[in-house]
Amino acid sequence: MNKRDIAAKLLQAESERVPIDTLTETYPGLTVEDAYRIQLEGISMKLAQGRKVIGKKIGLTSKGMQKLLGVNEPDYGHLFDNMLLLEGEPCQRQELLLPKVEGELAFVLKDTLKGPGVTIADVYRATEGVMPAFEIVDSRIRDWKIKLADTIADNGSSARLVLGSRLVPVQDLDLRLIGMVLEKNGEMVSSGAGAEVWGHPAAAVAWLANKLAEFDIALEAGEIILSGAVTAAEVAESGDVFTLSFDGLGCLNLKFI
């Protein structure tokens, strides 16, 4: 199993929009550790192409998704400059394979966080503020037939993100109780509270800082950290319009064309 070759196949699938077979079936011995190494190989390739890391994303923070994939902790991926859409900028559906939309809280860091031993209090101290965010996830694995190692190798199935325009200090909010509503084409499709995210969105960020310490990686000052989906992801097709509302943070719209 050549990790760099697998990373190259995933990047090719992304650029050509042609999915590949499930990695855990093609390579039955693929471990979570292998998958993170594959992800990091892919990251180094993108950096060599001139891309810039602007943050990290946390996935599988809900108990429901963990149960579905048979895991007991989240996963993560890297966010790049070419993934960021401006508020009001439409998402080009044809650039993606099978995209889905999630509503999340984005943390904007003013200080670096590096584990081990990072706590919720440390996250609060290091955070400039939070804002509503759409994460658009996509899988380079055919038909989303994935296990944990598949999505980790595939950079956490990350694809695009959209940030709101209001940055609100975390000290002014109860992130466990903050409510979120997600609408699709004018109809509410899901709602939830911050506590759906690993018990507390800041706890998910602390988990990430501690997990990345295993790879000698830090959450850097200025980075955007997507803390995890509050509710289930919604499939997106051309023409769909999504509206995300967080109590105290305002609304955010996203259209697929």
Side-chain angles (χ1 to χ4, degrees), residues 225-246:
I225 310 299
L226 296 181
S227 57
V230 176
T231 60
E234 293 291 332
V235 174
E237 298 293 350
S238 296
D240 285 340
V241 177
F242 293 87
T243 301
L244 178 65
S245 305
F246 269 105

Side-chain angles (χ1 to χ4, degrees), residues 76-208:
Y76 73 87
H78 290 68
L79 302 173
F80 287 92
D81 53 339
N82 63 329
M83 294 180 178
L84 181 62
L85 300 176
L86 300 176
E87 184 176 8
E89 180 183 356
C91 182
Q92 304 287 335
R93 172 63 181 81
Q94 74 273 13
E95 294 179 355
L96 304 171
L97 288 159
L98 290 174
K100 299 179 182 182
V101 171
E102 298 176 342
E104 309 196 10
L105 282 172
F107 287 66
V108 180
L109 299 182
K110 62 182 178 181
D111 297 316
T112 297
L113 279 171
K114 188 171 185 182
V118 171
T119 66
I120 289 178
D122 295 327
V123 173
Y124 268 68
R125 283 192 290 266
T127 300
E128 181 76 25
V130 295
M131 54 178 59
F134 282 114
E135 184 184 5
I136 303 164
V137 292
D138 197 18
S139 182
R140 274 58 68 171
I141 309 297
R142 187 172 287 108
D143 299 326
W144 279 96
K145 292 181 178 177
I146 59 172
K147 294 181 179 178
L148 179 61
D150 296 290
T151 186
I152 290 173
D154 191 22
N155 195 25
S157 304
S158 57
R160 301 285 186 275
L161 70 150
V162 190
L163 300 177
S165 54
R166 290 189 63 207
L167 184 67
V168 178
V170 287
Q171 292 80 4
D172 297 346
L173 302 165
D174 186 334
L175 297 183
R176 289 187 71 250
L177 300 182
I178 190 169
M180 187 207 82
V181 173
L182 180 63
E183 297 171 80
K184 178 179 180 179
N185 301 326
E187 294 186 6
M188 190 187 83
V189 288
S190 61
S191 63
E196 302 287 347
V197 181
W198 199 233
H200 192 302
V205 178
W207 171 88
L208 178 60

